[in-house]
C-alpha cells in the first residue's frame, strides 16, 4: 500500500451572501452591527471574503475541508506577526456557526494594497529580495508544535508525489500544446530531488493573490491557510510564477537554496501551472496566456541551468 497521501475529491463549496454575513456579524458581534458589509471581488477559493467597514474583513471557509485553517490561523498568526518584517493579516475575532452558515469563521484586520502583478512591481529585484527576507524570517520561527502537512493545508510541505496524478493529468490534457517531454523531465527531476528532512515553517501559497503592493513595493502578505511545518520548497514556486529572471537569481541567492530544494520548488511551480493551464483550456487564449508565460520561464531556466539537458531553451508554444 502506498504511503503517499490521497487528496480525495474536490471540496463541495457552499454559497454565502452579504445578508447572511451581515446577520452573522450582528448576532455575534453587535458592536460592529452597523458597519457596511461588501463582498470582495476575487476574494479567494478556500474562503469567501467580505469587507466589514473600512478596516476589517470577514473570511468564511467555503467548504468543510477548509475549516481547520481557522483554528490554525488564530493560534499561529499572532505568533508570526511580531517576528516578520512585513504586515500579515491577523485575526481580530472568531465567529461560530449560525444564520444557516455551518462553520467557524474569522474577522481580520484589513490590509491595504493592490495585488502583486509583474506590471505593478516597481523594482523586480528589490521585490524579490524583500520577499526572500520575509521567507527567511518565517523559516526562523520555532517549529515546535507547528502543524505538519495534512488535510488542513492539502499536504503542502510534504512530498510532491501527492500531486503526481494531477500533474500527469495536466500533461495529458496539454499534449500538443506544450513540450510535454520537457515538462515530464522537469517533473521527474523534482520528484527525485531529496529533502534533507530539516523542518521549517512555510506559508504554502506565496502567490500574486496573497502578496500586496504599495507604490509598487511589497507591503504585506496575507492568507496563511496553507501554512505549516515541513519541507519549505513549496514557497519557492513564486520564483517562476511571479519573479523576473534577475529577481529569481537574487531570490535564490538570498535564501541560499541548494540544487535539490530548487528542483522541488520548480516542481511545485510546474504542478500548479499545469493544473491552471489545463483548467483554463475552455476559456480561450487570454485565460491561458499567464500559464504559457510561466512555463516558458520554467523551461528556459531549467535548460539554462542544467547543462546535462544539452539543448537550447525551448519555447512552450509550438
Amino acid at each position: 500500500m502506498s504511503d503517499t497521501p490521497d487528496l480525495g475529491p474536490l471540496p463541495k463549496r457552499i454559497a454565502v451572501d452579504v445578508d447572511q454575513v451581515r446577520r452573522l456579524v450582528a448576532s455575534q458581534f453587535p458592536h460592529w452591527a452597523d458597519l457596511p458589509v461588501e463582498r470582495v471581488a476575487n476574494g479567494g477559493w478556500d474562503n469567501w471574503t467580505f469587507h466589514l467597514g473600512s478596516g476589517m474583513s470577514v473570511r468564511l471557509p467555503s467548504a468543510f475541508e477548509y475549516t481547520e485553517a481557522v483554528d490554525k490561523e488564530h493560534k499561529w498568526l499572532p505568533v508570526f506577526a511580531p517576528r516578520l518584517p512585513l504586515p500579515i493579516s491577523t485575526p481580530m475575532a472568531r465567529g461560530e456557526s449560525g444564520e444557516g452558515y455551518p462553520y467557524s469563521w474569522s474577522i481580520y484586520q484589513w490590509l491595504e494594497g493592490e495585488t502583486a502583478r509583474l506590471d505593478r512591481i516597481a523594482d523586480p529585484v528589490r521585490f524579490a529580495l524583500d520577499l526572500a527576507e520575509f521567507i527567511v524570517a518565517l523559516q526562523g520561527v520555532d517549529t515546535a508544535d507547528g502543524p505538519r502537512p495534512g488535510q488542513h493545508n492539502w499536504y503542502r510541505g510534504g512530498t510532491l508525489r501527492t500531486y503526481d496524478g494531477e500533474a500527469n493529468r495536466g500533461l495529458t490534457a496539454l499534449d500538443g500544446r506544450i513540450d510535454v517531454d520537457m515538462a515530464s523531465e522537469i517533473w521527474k527531476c523534482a520528484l527525485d530531488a531529496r529533502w534533507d528532512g530539516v523542518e521549517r515553517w512555510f506559508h504554502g501559497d506565496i502567490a500574486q493573490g496573497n502578496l500586496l503592493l504599495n507604490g509598487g513595493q511589497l507591503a504585506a502578505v496575507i492568507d496563511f491557510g496553507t501554512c505549516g511545518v515541513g519541507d519549505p520548497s513549496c514557497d519557492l514556486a513564486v520564483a517562476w510564477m511571479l519573479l523576473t529572471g534577475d529577481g529569481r537569481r537574487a531570490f535564490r541567492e538570498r535564501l541560499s537554496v541548494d540544487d535539490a530544494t530548487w528542483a522541488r520548488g520548480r516542481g511545485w511551480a510546474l504542478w500548479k501551472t499545469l493544473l491552471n493551464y489545463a483548467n483554463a483550456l475552455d476559456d480561450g487564449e487570454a485565460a491561458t496566456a499567464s500559464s504559457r508565460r510561466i512555463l516558458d520561464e520554467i523551461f528556459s531556466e531549467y535548460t539554462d541551468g542544467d547543462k546535462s539537458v544539452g539543448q537550447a531553451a525551448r519555447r512552450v508554444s509550438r
Side-chain angles (χ1 to χ4, degrees), residues 71-91:
D71 288 338
K72 180 173 61 177
E73 291 190 335
H74 277 262
K75 177 178 180 178
W76 287 105
L77 294 190
V79 175
F80 294 161
R83 294 168 169 81
L84 299 177
L86 293 168
I88 63 172
S89 47
T90 51

Side-chain angles (χ1 to χ4, degrees), residues 31 56 111 114 152 164 180 209 213 233 247 267 273 285 304:
H31 52 294
M56 293 180 286
L111 294 177
E114 58 180 358
H152 68 93
D164 193 35
V180 169
L213 302 176
S233 64
T273 307
E285 288 295 309
D304 287 346

Side-chain angles (χ1 to χ4, degrees), residues 161-203:
R161 294 187 185 280
T162 302
Y163 298 90
D164 193 35
E166 288 187 344
N168 283 308
R169 285 191 290 275
L171 290 169
T172 299
L174 297 171
D175 192 15
R177 297 175 181 270
I178 69 170
D179 187 337
V180 169
D181 290 340
M182 172 64 78
S184 298
E185 179 179 318
I186 294 171
W187 181 246
K188 184 178 186 304
C189 176
L191 293 182
D192 291 342
R194 295 179 63 85
W195 172 42
D196 62 11
V198 178
E199 294 183 324
R200 297 180 178 86
W201 274 102
F202 55 84
H203 177 281

Side-chain angles (χ1 to χ4, degrees), residues 116 121 123-132 211 213 218 242-243:
I121 295 171
D123 181 341
V125 173
R126 180 74 262 163
F127 175 86
L129 290 171
D130 289 345
L131 183 56
L211 303 174
L213 302 176
L218 184 61
L242 186 59
L243 305 186

Side-chain angles (χ1 to χ4, degrees), residues 75-143:
K75 177 178 180 178
W76 287 105
L77 294 190
V79 175
F80 294 161
R83 294 168 169 81
L84 299 177
L86 293 168
I88 63 172
S89 47
T90 51
M92 300 176 65
R94 173 183 170 132
E96 301 300 335
S97 60
E99 305 298 330
Y101 178 76
Y103 313 128
S104 298
W105 49 281
S106 302
I107 295 177
Y108 286 81
Q109 174 192 10
W110 179 263
L111 294 177
E112 292 293 341
E114 58 180 358
T115 300
R117 274 190 345 217
L118 275 173
D119 60 340
R120 291 173 174 169
I121 295 171
D123 181 341
V125 173
R126 180 74 262 163
F127 175 86
L129 290 171
D130 289 345
L131 183 56
E133 293 291 346
F134 179 88
I135 293 173
V136 167
L138 179 60
Q139 291 183 2
V141 177
D142 188 354
T143 60

Side-chain angles (χ1 to χ4, degrees), residues 31-66:
H31 52 294
W32 290 327
D34 293 334
L35 295 176
V37 175
E38 181 182 354
R39 183 182 294 276
V40 174
N42 302 317
W45 176 266
D46 298 3
N47 295 273
W48 299 111
T49 306
F50 298 80
H51 282 288
L52 177 61
S54 61
M56 293 180 286
S57 65
V58 180
R59 280 164 46 90
L60 307 98
S62 62
F64 171 77
E65 290 85 348
Y66 303 126

